[in-house]
Amino acid sequence: GEQVEQRPPHLSVREGDSAVITCTYTDPNSYYFFWYKQEPGASLQLLMKVFSSTEINEGQGFTVLLNKKDKRLSLNLTAAHPGDSAAYFCAVSAPGNYKYVFGAGTRLKVIA
Amino acid sequence: EAAVTQSPRNKVAVTGGKVTLSCNQTNNHNNMYWYRQDTGHGLRLIHYSYGAGSTEKGDIPDGYKASRPSQENFSLILELATPSQTSVYFCASGDATKLYAEQFFGPGTRLTVL
């Protein structure tokens, strides 16, 4: 079955710096990709969903890149601020398969 | 407002005891899921359901049962709780009418088995 590897497990950056989190997956049939943010003690909030092949999606202060050829998904926080400190998880699913496979998560700490 | 709620939010149980975690959703979604979250593992799928009366095994079903008596409610049952089941449990609902079936998560239940 699908396996998702997320790197790095921990990341510490200074305020204003960029931060990059990457997930690689194994199933070429995977088609739907998601990034979730989880603040300490809280539930998961959807940051962005990505469906297409090689695509850049931009949100508030972050960019998501999907490279289906390399089976790699990345989340790039362009100018991190302390409010970005949280755990981030990628999730992957295939068409018609309503189950997600999650990465193990990245604990991001942004130092002011 | 559509939401996924879980009860209890915190639970302390004894080894060998029975534990029931409850989930309720007002999203009117067909699909519901139970995950556990442990450090270093992300979220792992325990059981899921496609609608009332259906339950399916996820990736780590051993030691757990599930029940979906209605569209809104999905329960996770630990018949004989063990300390290895100490974890944070999340319930989610998903809209099966959409191809990508985005999942919406509840606030979580912290379970400690002594």
Side-chain angles (χ1 to χ4, degrees), chain A residues 37-102:
Chain A
K37 177 181 180 181
Q38 184 183 33
E39 297 184 351
S43 188
L44 282 78
Q45 298 174 288
L46 181 68
L47 273 181
M48 185 166 284
K49 44 186 182 271
V50 179
F51 304 150
S52 178
S53 62
T54 310
E55 178 171 339
I56 299 175
N57 282 26
E58 295 183 356
Q60 294 184 340
F62 57 87
T63 302
V64 172
L65 175 64
L66 171 63
N67 186 323
K68 296 199 77 176
K69 176 177 177 292
D70 293 340
K71 296 195 284 292
R72 183 185 300 121
L73 177 72
S74 64
L75 174 68
N76 186 341
L77 282 76
T78 50
H81 57 84
D84 293 327
S85 295
Y88 293 83
F89 296 90
C90 63
V92 175
S93 70
N97 180 349
Y98 298 109
K99 299 187 295 180
Y100 285 6
V101 177
F102 279 88

Side-chain angles (χ1 to χ4, degrees), chain A residues 32 34 36 38 41-44 46 49 51 89 93-105 107, chain B residues 9 31 33 35 37 39-43 45 48 50 59 90 95-96 98-103 105-107:
Chain A
Y32 304 115
F34 307 85
Y36 283 86
Q38 184 183 33
S43 188
L44 282 78
L46 181 68
K49 44 186 182 271
F51 304 150
F89 296 90
S93 70
N97 180 349
Y98 298 109
K99 299 187 295 180
Y100 285 6
V101 177
F102 279 88
R107 278 74 185 170
Chain B
R9 294 294 313 279
N31 295 355
Y33 309 82
Y35 296 90
Q37 183 178 35
T39 301
H41 287 282
L43 275 75
L45 183 64
Y48 60 103
Y50 291 129
D59 299 322
F90 286 97
D95 184 358
K98 294 182 177 178
L99 289 176
Y100 50 85
E102 177 183 336
Q103 294 184 21
F105 288 83

